Amino acid sequence: MRLSLRRQLLLLALIALVLPWAAWQALVQMENLLRQGQQQALEASGEAVARSLALRPALLPPAAPSLPVHALAASPRLDGDVSDWGDVASPLETEAALPGVRFAVGHYNERRLVFIAVDDVTPQRGEAHWPGDLAIDAVLLELDTSLGQMRLKLAARADGSTRAAAADGSAAPVLAEGGWRETADGYAVELALPQGLSLDALRIIRRDADGGGGVTESASPRFALYRPSPRLQRELGALLPDDVRAVVVDGRGWALAADGALRADAAGDDVLSWRRLLYRAMLDAAELEAFAAEASPLRDDRAERLAAAQGRVESRWRRDPQGTRLILSSAVPVRVDGEVRAVLRLDRSNAEALLLADRAAAHLLGLTLLAFLASGGVAFLFATRLSQRIRRLRDAAEQALDRSGEVRRFEVSAARDEIGDLSRSFSQLLDEIAAYTSYLRSLSSKLSHELQTPLAIVRSSLDNLDLAALPADARPYVARARDGVERMGQLVRTMSEATRIEHAIAAAEHEAFDLARLLADVGEGYRDVLAPRRLRLDGIEAPCLFHGAPELLVQALDKLIDNARGFTPDDGEIGIALKRGTRELMIEVRNTGPKLPEAMRHRLFDSLVSLRDRSRGADGAVHLGFGLHVVKLVAAAHGGIAEADNLEDGSGVVLRLRLPLRRAPGGEGARS
């Protein structure tokens, strides 16, 4: 990842963040200490209230196992559907000794009602009044009533109303009506005892027939039934401290009494909004769970209540999703004779802690943030000025050389610092590069001029030796010397030609012309030269208006065709293609033959680089690798590039000229 100097200095300035971070940590620590103090105080209040309630055991549920008798808001229909029992139905009671059975006990208008849902995967239905021990699914209820103990049997063959029978199928001692309903998981039965019949204890026995004549039984313990005492709520309200909400629940989580209310979250009136958001962010960072209402208003299934039911004092902090405050819940067991008879849960908000933390931290956070912003602003301004100076130096360095290699004027900084020294060093270096470039540009013409005379002397001397009577064994050496002279002469001529071509390219005039027509014309002229090789022309059917130097492009195309002819076998094929894009044109010359070595792909267009044999070719010419360099110069003169690659199928090589589309000075478009 590339970072500018300004960003690096800005990151360095972020070290000043340690100041607000330290203040933040102090604020968090202070808030934690305040919450710990609130938690200890609330737990102490809860234990005091729990001891007071334990002195009134008659107001508490009986010793376990026990079940509450819920007061129903309306008389339910006896149809085996518990939905009309209201909040009592979510969730129903379960018992580990009675797997697959869910139940509840209620009362309405002094009439006791029992609901039982059974999971049954092997239904074997029958009627409760059938005598004998028939292998059918049934539910037995052992009841302690005001008329004494009795045992009722509930079973039915199909949905509908039913009556309880005695355990042996005979008539029941009381008229108990109910409803039976088949469910997706088994069956459900709803039973109503006669009005005025009190119910003190209950035991549920399930009989499950397996269809093969076998019957298994599972039974619950004998539950003592109770109804919450109205006095419990009055006693609870008298014991509660201010701004605390209290709930007393039994061992199964059913609410027995509730009183008190939380203090309203009025901190928003006393705390500025931005500091309120800051405090909320601190609470979110604490990763506390959000406060949520219980699934049933009649039952408490929170973790702290479950821990208190086991005899431990447990507290939990939760975020108020509607405000900034936290809600603290502390659950305390209510013990009578060492046994947990109920659980007291106290809820309290920490709105006071918000006000205290805000007053203590407002000045600290303000000062640290001000110091951070000041130091960061100064560092940012300094980094901006420094990066602007470096950017100007970079731009000047990038523009110091043009495409032709000419060194332009470099602006030197007058600053007396390291960047000023660097700009002056760049200027000195560019002056030396300009002098060396000028020397190199004139070197080829000087060498070609200076070497003409020595070559002429050597050539005339070799001619004189040919006229002399030389021994036969000396003539091969003379021939080799003549070859070397010819090669040196070709090199000198090539250097002179390179100088002329560079000057010609720089002086060439650009004009608008039809590039497709140009390729078609020169392509037809290549057919005889390339014979017996095949020539293929693609993409020249439609006109293609281009702004450039046509004579230079023809010269570059000559070099490309000559290169392709040198590597294409007699039965091979050479192709010329014109491809058009939205921003550039491509002239491709493809030929079948040997592949291009990977190491030469990016060096092929350099001067004096060639893949051909350095000796004379079949046409007698000496190849010095200058032709493709001319192609590169022509492409650069048009603002494009030259590149080489192997064909995708590996059958040969493709050389490309990528030329950008440009508009003519007179506004004439360069697109087709």
Side-chain angles (χ1 to χ4, degrees):
M1 179 180 179
R2 181 178 179 272
L3 288 177
S4 65
L5 184 61
R6 179 168 58 178
R7 292 180 179 176
Q8 294 180 35
L9 290 176
L10 184 59
L11 289 176
L12 185 62
L14 291 180
I15 296 177
L17 277 175
V18 69
L19 296 176
W21 177 84
W24 176 267
Q25 294 301 316
L27 177 61
V28 171
Q29 184 66 23
M30 179 173 54
E31 194 272 339
N32 287 335
L33 292 176
L34 289 174
R35 286 201 284 117
Q36 289 178 10
Q38 277 190 316
Q39 178 175 327
Q40 293 172 0
L42 188 62
E43 289 178 353
S45 298
E47 291 178 343
V49 175
R51 285 194 294 269
S52 298
L53 294 178
L55 298 177
R56 302 165 178 85
L59 305 181
L60 301 176
S66 60
L67 279 179
V69 179
H70 301 285
L72 304 183
S75 177
R77 295 179 58 186
L78 300 179
D79 54 1
D81 186 0
V82 76
S83 60
D84 51 3
W85 283 48
D87 295 326
V88 177
S90 56
L92 296 170
E93 294 285 356
T94 59
E95 179 62 38
L98 202 61
V101 178
R102 299 172 301 281
F103 51 91
V105 180
H107 72 91
Y108 179 78
N109 198 17
E110 298 304 321
R111 191 179 192 189
R112 303 298 185 268
L113 300 106
V114 180
F115 178 86
I116 301 172
V118 181
D119 295 337
D120 186 10
V121 295
T122 58
Q124 299 294 320
R125 306 293 186 246
E127 294 295 337
H129 56 78
W130 287 356
D133 292 327
L134 298 178
I136 61 173
D137 299 321
V139 174
L140 299 180
L141 299 180
E142 293 183 356
L143 309 176
D144 289 352
T145 70
S146 55
L147 298 180
Q149 292 186 348
M150 60 183 66
R151 196 174 192 187
L152 303 181
K153 179 180 180 182
L154 302 174
R157 301 185 62 183
D159 291 0
S161 60
T162 185
R163 287 188 178 181
D168 58 0
S170 61
V174 294
L175 181 61
E177 299 177 333
W180 180 283
R181 185 171 67 91
E182 295 289 333
T183 64
D185 300 323
Y187 60 90
V189 60
E190 194 172 8
L191 183 69
L193 297 177
Q195 189 168 3
L197 180 68
S198 63
L199 184 61
D200 301 322
L202 168 69
R203 183 168 181 257
I204 303 174
I205 303 172
R206 174 194 176 185
R207 286 185 177 177
D208 184 18
D210 58 10
V215 177
T216 58
E217 283 192 1
S218 56
S220 71
R222 183 174 297 277
F223 295 109
L225 303 181
Y226 69 93
R227 295 173 61 179
S229 172
R231 289 179 51 201
L232 180 61
Q233 183 163 347
R234 294 194 297 270
E235 294 289 341
L236 181 64
L239 297 172
L240 282 183
D242 295 336
D243 302 324
V244 173
R245 179 177 59 197
V247 179
V248 178
V249 298
D250 65 3
R252 293 177 174 268
W254 293 104
L256 306 177
D259 204 320
L262 297 177
R263 169 183 286 187
D265 189 7
D269 300 331
D270 304 314
V271 180
L272 294 178
S273 59
W274 69 269
R275 294 210 298 264
R276 183 180 176 88
L277 293 175
L278 185 66
Y279 192 79
R280 180 61 183 265
M282 181 179 65
L283 298 184
D284 291 341
E287 297 183 355
L288 300 173
E289 62 179 301
F291 182 85
E294 293 86 356
S296 170
L298 303 180
R299 192 160 185 171
D300 183 0
D301 289 325
R302 296 180 184 176
E304 57 268 29
R305 197 279 301 172
L306 298 175
Q310 302 298 321
R312 304 192 308 271
V313 177
E314 185 84 7
S315 297
R316 293 289 179 93
W317 286 94
R318 294 182 177 87
R319 290 184 293 108
D320 182 2
Q322 305 300 325
T324 307
R325 62 182 179 175
L326 294 180
I327 305 297
L328 172 63
S329 296
S330 296
V332 180
V334 180
R335 294 185 176 90
V336 177
D337 297 332
E339 181 182 10
V340 178
R341 296 275 291 273
V343 171
L344 171 66
R345 195 195 78 218
L346 301 181
D347 298 334
R348 187 171 189 175
S349 73
N350 74 331
E352 302 90 344
L354 171 60
L355 296 175
L356 292 174
D358 179 75
R359 296 189 186 106
H363 294 293
L364 178 62
L365 284 179
L367 291 175
T368 53
L369 287 176
L370 182 62
F372 167 71
L373 293 176
S375 60
V378 171
F380 182 78
L381 292 177
F382 175 75
T384 300
R385 181 176 178 275
L386 186 61
S387 63
Q388 288 175 348
R389 294 180 60 196
I390 295 177
R391 191 181 300 111
R392 286 196 298 269
L393 181 61
R394 179 205 62 191
D395 295 341
E398 290 178 350
Q399 298 172 4
L401 293 176
D402 59 12
R403 286 183 175 273
S404 62
E406 292 289 343
V407 178
R408 298 173 179 173
R409 179 178 177 275
F410 185 82
E411 182 178 355
V412 179
S413 173
R416 311 306 300 176
D417 56 9
E418 288 80 358
I419 297 180
D421 293 341
L422 183 60
S423 69
R424 289 185 286 274
S425 298
F426 274 160
S427 178
Q428 182 180 357
L429 177 62
L430 288 172
D431 289 342
E432 295 178 1
I433 291 176
Y436 187 65
T437 303
S438 177
Y439 167 75
L440 290 179
R441 288 183 179 278
S442 61
L443 180 62
S444 61
S445 59
K446 291 178 181 178
L447 284 178
S448 61
H449 176 73
E450 295 296 333
L451 289 176
Q452 290 292 345
T453 300
L455 285 176
I457 294 173
V458 174
R459 189 178 289 110
S460 62
S461 299
L462 291 175
D463 291 342
N464 292 332
L465 284 175
D466 283 340
L467 298 177
L470 293 176
D473 55 351
R475 291 192 178 276
Y477 298 105
V478 175
R480 292 177 189 173
R482 189 177 296 279
D483 265 351
V485 170
E486 289 299 328
R487 188 175 183 84
M488 290 181 64
Q490 179 67 20
L491 180 59
V492 170
R493 288 192 294 274
T494 300
M495 293 169 60
S496 300
E497 180 184 359
T499 303
R500 289 196 303 272
I501 289 176
E502 290 179 359
H503 287 268
I505 290 175
E509 294 184 0
H510 291 212
E511 60 184 69
F513 62 96
D514 187 352
L515 183 57
R517 179 63 180 272
L518 177 67
L519 294 181
D521 292 342
V522 299
E524 292 301 326
Y526 292 142
R527 291 192 185 275
D528 295 336
V529 178
L530 297 177
R533 304 169 187 85
R534 300 182 301 278
L535 177 65
R536 179 178 176 180
L537 301 176
D538 296 319
I540 61 174
E541 296 80 8
C544 179
L545 195 61
F546 182 75
H547 188 265
E551 66 279 2
L552 294 183
L553 292 177
V554 170
Q555 188 174 6
L557 198 60
D558 290 342
K559 302 297 184 183
L560 293 175
I561 292 296
D562 180 66
N563 178 81
R565 183 169 64 99
F567 291 96
T568 305
D570 292 343
D571 58 346
E573 181 181 82
I574 297 176
I576 302 176
L578 175 61
K579 296 184 177 180
R580 317 169 195 216
T582 57
R583 296 186 178 181
E584 67 176 6
L585 297 174
M586 280 197 304
I587 301 175
E588 290 187 351
V589 175
R590 303 182 301 272
N591 69 276
T592 56
K595 295 173 60 176
L596 185 67
E598 187 66 26
M600 295 297 296
R601 288 179 56 187
H602 303 292
R603 297 183 52 222
L604 194 61
F605 293 94
D606 294 343
S607 180
L608 301 180
V609 174
S610 176
L611 291 178
R612 308 192 200 191
D613 188 357
R614 287 291 184 180
S615 63
R616 297 178 183 271
D619 55 359
V622 178
H623 299 290
L624 298 176
F626 185 70
L628 293 184
H629 182 63
V630 172
V631 176
K632 178 181 178 181
L633 295 177
V634 172
H638 288 82
I641 59 173
E643 59 185 18
D645 201 354
N646 292 313
L647 293 174
E648 293 182 358
D649 57 2
S651 61
V653 177
V654 57
L655 304 181
R656 298 187 185 93
L657 276 181
R658 305 176 75 101
L659 306 176
L661 288 171
R662 297 181 293 181
R663 291 191 173 276
E668 187 178 8
R671 297 180 184 271
S672 59

